[in-house]
Amino acid sequence: MMDAARKPLADDDEVFKALASPVRRRMLDVLKESPRTTGALCELFSEIDRTTALQHLRVLEAADLVTGRKVGRERHLSLAPLPIKRIHDRWISDYTAAAVQLLADLDER
């Protein structure tokens, strides 16, 4: 069993794994524009078969980057941005602050 301190690290690993694929990043871009049904999303990725598209969706859902809800026979998918915000807050925001400070220091010279 994983203790609470290690769970965010495992969650981050799932997010990075999901974001490693260009296809999955494109899927997230599409869902950022608007929610889609599974079928509509799969149609947009005609270069891969439906089974492969569904495998990519499972990876995104495992990382909590995509949520789905059933509406009748359809499954409606939406982007879930909180894992990306968590990555930003942990890995990017400190570096951004340092870069801004560096630029401010250069401006003062």
Side-chain angles (χ1 to χ4, degrees), residues 29 32-33 39 43 47 52 60 81 86 92 95 106 108:
D29 287 339
K32 184 173 78 171
E33 293 171 12
E43 285 176 14
E47 72 274 12
T52 303
L60 292 170
R86 189 179 67 241
I92 299 170
Y95 295 105
L106 287 172
E108 289 176 8

Side-chain angles (χ1 to χ4, degrees), residues 2 5-16 62 86 90:
M2 191 178 305
R6 296 180 73 149
K7 182 149 178 37
L9 295 176
D11 292 345
D12 288 352
D13 289 346
E14 292 295 320
V15 173
F16 282 116
R86 189 179 67 241
R90 179 170 179 211

Side-chain angles (χ1 to χ4, degrees), residues 3 5 8 14 18-19 31 35 46 53 55 63-64 67 71-74 79 85 93 95 98 100 102 105-106 108:
D3 63 39
E14 292 295 320
L19 294 174
L31 292 173
S46 59
Q55 289 172 341
D64 293 327
T67 60
V71 178
R73 294 187 59 179
E74 294 181 328
L79 174 69
K85 181 178 181 341
S93 63
Y95 295 105
V100 168
L102 183 65
D105 292 346
L106 287 172
E108 289 176 8

Side-chain angles (χ1 to χ4, degrees), residues 17 25 32-33 56 60-61 71 75 82-84 87 92 104-105 107:
K17 174 185 171 186
R25 290 192 305 268
K32 184 173 78 171
E33 293 171 12
H56 282 295
L60 292 170
E61 288 177 315
V71 178
R75 199 152 164 265
L82 288 179
I84 294 172
I87 295 294
I92 299 170
D105 292 346
D107 193 39

Side-chain angles (χ1 to χ4, degrees), residues 15-80:
V15 173
F16 282 116
K17 174 185 171 186
L19 294 174
S21 165
V23 171
R24 290 192 289 267
R25 290 192 305 268
R26 285 181 28 231
M27 286 179 165
L28 292 175
D29 287 339
V30 168
L31 292 173
K32 184 173 78 171
E33 293 171 12
S34 67
R36 310 282 170 122
T37 63
T38 302
L41 187 65
C42 289
E43 285 176 14
L44 292 172
F45 292 86
S46 59
E47 72 274 12
I48 58 176
D49 61 57
R50 185 176 174 86
T51 302
T52 303
L54 293 174
Q55 289 172 341
H56 282 295
L57 279 172
R58 279 194 286 279
V59 173
L60 292 170
E61 288 177 315
D64 293 327
L65 290 165
V66 170
T67 60
R69 64 182 174 84
K70 291 281 270 184
V71 178
R73 294 187 59 179
E74 294 181 328
R75 199 152 164 265
H76 292 248
L77 304 168
S78 298
L79 174 69

